[in-house]
Amino acid sequence: MPTRRLFCAATAAALAGCATGPAAPPAAAVSELGSTGKLRAAINYGNPILAARGDDGQPRGVSVDLARQAARRLGLPVELVTFTSAGNTVEAIKARQVDLAFVAIDPVRAADMEYTAPYVVIEGAYLVRNGSALQRNEEVDRAGTRIAVGRGSAYDLYLTREVKNASLVRVPTSPQVVDDFLAQNLDVAAGVKQQLEMDARRVGGVRLLPGRFMVINQAMGVPKGRTAAQAWLSAYIEEMKASGFVAEALRRHRIEGAAVAPPGRAA
């Protein structure tokens, strides 16, 4: 065959290969993520960056988009299992009631799940009353200061390790933090910055302290030991970041204050 024809044939074959799209997931990953014949994805309404209830009552948000796209790649139907708190979401992963969750990376949780690298980075912030003497994040950890936190949230776990003098008052879910902070006359409310900003507009008479007290890395997680699922999801989430899928989802759902995480490896 002439050289030109060989070159054209090779080029056509390469283009045909590109047109096939992403490689099929390994059978082991499909088996681990679809052990019940479907992908059961935990969706946490307690974090407005990740998910919210739409006008039609259905879940919407970047985590929903990622779960649906993963299910399509796996060739599985998706079941969105909704929760009101990160704590309940983590318990569902531990009990293997779901196959995939969207959670903040934390060393405590690593005992019960396998993580991907983060896909979104958000901030933890403090909220106080307008008349509070507190002006900076560094002033919060003082004896007598009572901080409202969502039980089992990433910032609950972080502050449990870091706070030395103040005390934590745990409330059932993150969306309840500001209401309980006011009802119990607590000194500080801790939470995801965007949730606190929404609550501040809703209740009035409160303000956020400048900056942040922590960075929250949001990742995908699967039950401990499901390493084939973790490996495939790790590659999947890196592709979703690099392709612009995550950034576009944040724009589409009008999420501000969250950033696409840089390329990285699982924790």
Side-chain angles (χ1 to χ4, degrees), residues 143-230:
T145 299
R146 297 169 300 161
I147 308 170
V149 298
R151 185 182 303 278
S153 63
Y155 50 91
D156 176 14
L157 299 176
Y158 174 84
L159 292 174
T160 297
R161 292 190 297 270
E162 298 298 322
V163 166
K164 307 303 179 187
N165 301 298
S167 58
L168 303 181
V169 179
R170 295 176 175 85
V171 305
T173 69
S174 294
Q176 289 180 241
V177 164
V178 170
D179 289 335
D180 282 31
F181 153 79
L182 293 172
Q184 298 183 45
N185 196 32
L186 303 176
D187 304 292
V188 178
V192 172
K193 179 177 282 188
Q194 287 77 7
Q195 178 73 59
L196 296 181
E197 289 172 338
M198 289 189 295
D199 288 336
R201 291 191 292 269
R202 175 174 60 87
V203 304
V206 296
R207 58 183 168 84
L208 272 69
L209 296 185
R212 66 194 185 198
F213 68 84
M214 72 175 296
V215 171
I216 303 171
N217 291 296
Q218 293 288 340
M220 301 173 96
V222 297
K224 195 71 175 178
R226 294 188 179 179
T227 54
Q230 188 269 348

Side-chain angles (χ1 to χ4, degrees), residues 56-147:
D56 59 358
Q58 297 303 306
R60 57 182 297 276
V62 61
S63 61
V64 176
D65 294 347
L66 286 168
R68 292 190 188 281
Q69 179 67 7
R72 282 192 286 269
R73 296 279 185 91
L74 293 161
L76 294 168
V78 65
E79 178 185 358
L80 302 177
V81 185
T82 59
F83 297 89
T84 58
S85 74
N88 289 338
T89 301
V90 171
E91 289 303 314
I93 277 282
K94 289 169 61 175
R96 299 175 183 258
Q97 296 168 346
V98 295
D99 307 299
L100 167 67
F102 298 85
V103 293
I105 294 174
D106 186 272
V108 172
R109 293 173 178 169
D112 299 298
M113 70 176 70
E114 313 284 355
Y115 288 120
T116 67
Y119 62 95
V120 165
V121 177
I122 58 181
E123 297 178 330
Y126 290 133
L127 176 144
V128 298
R129 291 172 178 78
N130 284 343
S132 172
L134 296 172
Q135 300 296 325
R136 300 185 302 119
N137 292 321
E138 295 78 12
E139 298 171 358
V140 169
D141 189 11
R142 293 177 176 176
T145 299
R146 297 169 300 161
I147 308 170

Side-chain angles (χ1 to χ4, degrees), residues 235-249:
Y236 166 75
I237 206 63
E238 292 305 315
E239 180 191 340
M240 293 296 99
K241 291 187 292 186
S243 69
F245 183 98
V246 175
E248 175 56 29

